[in-house]
Amino acid sequence: MKNSISEQSFYIESEEEDDEQEKHENEEEGNESDFSNYSNENDDENNRQQSKPNSLTSAWPQSYRQSMDMFSNVPSPSLNFLGTPSLSRLGSSFLGSSLIRRHTPEILPYLQKPLIPSAEEEKVAHRRSSHGLLPPIHPRKSSMKKIPEPSKDAHGLTMSRQSSYGQAVVNGMNVLCGVGILSTPYAMKEGGWSGLSILFIFGVLSFYTGILLRSCLDSQPGLETYPDIGQAAFGTPGRIFISIILYVELYFSCIEYIILEGDNLSAIFPNAHLSLGSFELDARHLFVFIATLAVLPTVWLRDLSVLSYISVGGVVASVLVVLCLYWAGLVDHVGFESKGTVLNLSTLPVAIGLYGFCYSGHAVFPNIYTSLADRNQFPAVLLTCFGMVTLLYGGTAVMGYLMFGDSADSQFTLNLPKGLIASKVAVWTTVVNPFTKYALTLSPVAMSLEELLPSKHAKSHVYPILIRTALAFSTLVVGLSIPFFGLVMALIGSLLTMLVTLILPCVCFLRILKGKTSRLQVSVCVLIIIVGTLSAVIGSYSAVSNIIQSLS
């Protein structure tokens, strides 16, 4: 934190050369506030309100916005049929910059610029937010000038660079459709047929808390990300706490990718092993190690644009794997011998965590909302995303449980007969997909740590490489130590996802909008907090107990 403040001072000093020109332009615009781009009103009260979020500029993490946009973005060239570019307006420019150097705020504002800036955008507004603090490197001076831009929203972003309804839906689907879909039949096994209702309950509650995040963002100008909401509610400690929770969730997702690779590759090549004298690796340990070495160069990449394009296929990959499951069941007539059980009370807490993991997308919802050209469409975007994802997850759970019953593994790809074409397509799709997701998922964590480097190492290429390498190998160590895909997912879903998806949105909403909420809203939020807390405690305890028992 001390480093961030000192760096902020440096940036302010480096801008002194243009202070007089900025002052002249501000007078022409009729704005006395340095942050007047949030509104066209000139009264003192509005200027005071606009200055509130500016404290976010010096708080860690400053890289959250662009890193999460990169993690979840849908590159615009692949979605021309949907309209204007969406989150990639930030991600695409960022992907062209070096990732193997510290992402100081000297680089961050460059993310605001489109790939090919127009003449009118030669002078970009001096925005104060958590992701655009300073002028871009090229050109430095002109980037600091503030001129009126047409069709700007409350955050100073040009409407033409924002996402359409279709792009926002695909962005949301890209975040929500993850590896959790592989474990839904296993969740059915752990909870029984009645346990499937938990999936739909969490879907409804998650949709509502997504709307609450929108209300928090609209409560005051300048709020754009989940950490911003945390700071608006509880100051810097709230921002740091929420950021840590979000980054830990991403980190454990990378661990899940490593475990996933080891399980599926060892199922394809069960006899693979490596012997070096007295040291011997079996198939699973060998492939976990190989997978880590394979993704390591992608973590070092200076340009992740290729991965960001391919990662958009995550939705397609999820649908393809589900179609393979249906093909194996309906066409190849695999399984359908067990009717399953109605309710498994003893293992229901594990199912709670697995179902909760399916809706771990709230970290990116604020980014999607602030990127919408028409923000009134946000409820419809969320409703579409949650509706489609719930049907996809629910359908997979039902079909997988009908096929495999109580013999369902933590990943249904492990249950599919190896000789079928549908099985091979499903398994190899599952194996390939994490290779495009791993680096994008780990990068936000790495960037947040790079922010904490001392200023004297700001331009070093060595330290970012060491940080990213250490993070990658730490996921390898944890993946080898706790090689239980379903139980680790249940722990993530119970502890982290319940916090991010259910508890924190309600707590922040009640805190930020205190005195402006109805009794019904307060009652619903309290109910969701109770449900989330109970689910987190019961699910986490069950997951940890099962992990310890499995290790022993």
Side-chain angles (χ1 to χ4, degrees):
M1 296 302 299
K2 183 182 296 184
N3 182 47
S4 299
I5 296 175
S6 64
E7 289 176 351
Q8 182 69 13
S9 301
F10 167 76
Y11 301 139
I12 294 175
E13 292 174 1
S14 66
E15 295 169 358
E16 289 178 353
E17 59 183 275
D18 292 327
D19 281 347
E20 292 298 323
Q21 187 168 0
E22 289 180 0
K23 180 178 179 182
H24 176 68
E25 291 172 356
N26 287 339
E27 292 174 352
E28 291 180 345
E29 295 171 8
N31 296 313
E32 296 179 359
S33 171
D34 287 338
F35 314 113
S36 58
N37 57 312
Y38 288 126
S39 174
N40 292 326
E41 300 179 10
N42 301 317
D43 56 277
D44 294 338
E45 177 64 24
N46 191 47
N47 287 336
R48 284 195 296 269
Q49 291 178 353
Q50 291 170 353
S51 65
K52 290 180 181 179
N54 297 333
S55 60
L56 304 177
T57 61
S58 61
W60 177 89
Q62 299 180 45
S63 62
Y64 183 86
R65 174 66 194 245
Q66 73 273 11
S67 66
M68 295 306 294
D69 281 344
M70 176 185 63
F71 166 65
S72 63
N73 88 87
V74 174
S76 55
S78 64
L79 287 177
N80 287 336
F81 66 93
L82 289 176
T84 58
S86 62
L87 296 178
S88 58
R89 75 184 190 283
L90 299 177
S92 297
S93 295
F94 172 74
L95 297 173
S97 66
S98 171
L99 283 182
I100 309 304
R101 60 177 298 177
R102 185 177 174 213
H103 294 270
T104 64
E106 287 184 318
I107 300 175
L108 301 184
Y110 188 65
L111 308 171
Q112 302 177 49
K113 297 173 70 62
L115 289 175
I116 304 179
S118 63
E120 295 180 354
E121 294 171 342
E122 286 289 329
K123 300 177 180 180
V124 184
H126 184 64
R127 300 180 56 240
R128 299 281 182 175
S129 68
S130 61
H131 71 283
L133 307 178
L134 295 168
I137 296 178
H138 305 293
R140 178 183 178 87
K141 185 173 182 178
S142 62
S143 66
M144 293 173 57
K145 299 178 181 179
K146 299 194 289 288
I147 64 173
E149 290 187 19
S151 303
K152 279 191 173 184
D153 69 353
H155 299 271
L157 297 175
T158 304
M159 299 293 282
S160 62
R161 301 208 307 260
Q162 296 187 336
S163 61
S164 65
Y165 169 83
Q167 288 173 303
V169 169
V170 177
N171 280 322
M173 291 286 292
N174 191 42
V175 173
L176 291 172
C177 285
V179 295
I181 199 168
L182 300 175
S183 295
T184 50
Y186 178 70
M188 285 279 288
K189 166 195 169 183
E190 297 295 293
W193 287 106
S194 299
L196 185 62
S197 61
I198 297 175
L199 176 69
F200 298 101
I201 293 173
F202 282 163
V204 173
L205 298 183
S206 299
F207 168 77
Y208 182 75
T209 54
I211 300 298
L212 294 184
L213 290 179
R214 175 199 183 187
S215 299
C216 293
L217 293 170
D218 290 339
S219 64
Q220 55 183 273
L223 303 184
E224 296 185 341
T225 65
Y226 211 144
D228 291 351
I229 294 174
Q231 179 153 357
F234 300 103
T236 301
R239 179 183 184 87
I240 294 176
F241 176 76
I242 288 180
S243 299
I244 291 175
I245 294 297
L246 297 176
Y247 287 136
V248 170
E249 187 178 33
L250 290 176
Y251 177 79
F252 271 90
S253 296
C254 292
I255 295 173
E256 285 286 79
Y257 290 145
I258 294 298
I259 299 174
L260 178 73
E261 293 295 326
D263 290 346
N264 283 274
L265 286 173
S266 61
I268 299 174
F269 307 105
N271 297 323
H273 65 280
L274 177 65
S275 298
L276 296 174
S278 60
F279 182 74
E280 185 171 348
L281 292 176
D282 60 14
R284 188 179 62 82
H285 288 79
L286 175 61
F287 285 118
V288 165
F289 186 74
I290 292 176
T292 304
L293 293 180
V295 298
L296 189 58
T298 66
V299 177
W300 295 338
L301 282 177
R302 291 176 176 269
D303 186 354
L304 291 177
S305 57
V306 176
L307 293 182
S308 68
Y309 280 98
I310 299 175
S311 70
V312 179
V315 179
V316 178
S318 298
V319 173
L320 179 60
V321 172
V322 172
L323 290 177
C324 290
L325 175 68
Y326 273 79
W327 183 278
L330 300 178
V331 178
D332 296 326
H333 305 291
V334 174
F336 295 99
E337 297 179 357
S338 175
K339 296 182 180 180
T341 57
V342 177
L343 182 64
N344 291 326
L345 284 176
S346 60
T347 54
L348 183 62
V350 175
I352 291 175
L354 294 173
Y355 286 135
F357 185 86
C358 296
Y359 298 109
S360 56
H362 281 56
V364 185
F365 287 162
N367 300 47
I368 294 176
Y369 172 64
T370 55
S371 298
L372 270 172
D374 182 3
R375 296 186 180 179
N376 293 325
Q377 295 178 336
F378 185 69
V381 169
L382 280 189
L383 184 61
T384 303
C385 290
F386 278 103
M388 296 177 66
V389 167
T390 301
L391 290 176
L392 188 63
Y393 282 146
T396 305
V398 171
M399 176 59 69
Y401 194 48
L402 283 173
M403 291 172 61
F404 310 120
D406 292 333
S407 63
D409 287 325
S410 61
Q411 305 152 57
F412 69 74
T413 51
L414 303 179
N415 290 109
L416 294 173
K418 297 180 177 58
L420 300 177
I421 295 178
S423 302
K424 295 179 180 179
V425 172
V427 171
W428 281 109
T429 302
T430 303
V431 168
V432 172
N433 195 38
F435 283 97
T436 65
K437 293 282 190 179
Y438 184 92
L440 292 172
T441 306
L442 194 65
S443 287
V445 183
M447 291 171 63
S448 68
L449 295 178
E450 290 164 18
E451 285 188 53
L452 303 177
L453 287 174
S455 57
K456 61 181 179 180
H457 301 311
K459 296 183 179 180
S460 173
H461 291 206
V462 176
Y463 290 97
I465 291 179
L466 293 177
I467 289 174
R468 292 162 186 264
T469 303
L471 286 173
F473 276 101
S474 67
T475 61
L476 166 66
V477 173
V478 178
L480 289 175
S481 303
I482 314 175
F484 312 116
F485 183 84
L487 295 178
V488 173
M489 180 177 292
L491 179 60
I492 298 172
S494 299
L495 181 59
L496 301 176
T497 305
M498 290 301 160
L499 277 171
V500 174
T501 303
L502 299 185
I503 300 174
L504 291 176
C506 294
V507 173
C508 291
F509 174 78
L510 294 177
R511 175 76 173 184
I512 294 175
L513 298 176
K514 184 178 181 180
K516 301 179 182 179
T517 56
S518 65
R519 289 185 178 181
L520 178 60
Q521 288 175 319
V522 173
S523 300
V524 173
C525 286
V526 171
L527 177 61
I528 294 176
I529 292 173
I530 293 174
V531 171
T533 303
L534 290 176
S535 299
V537 172
I538 296 174
S540 299
Y541 175 80
S542 177
V544 171
S545 298
N546 280 276
I547 289 174
I548 294 175
Q549 184 178 357
S550 299
L551 289 174
S552 60

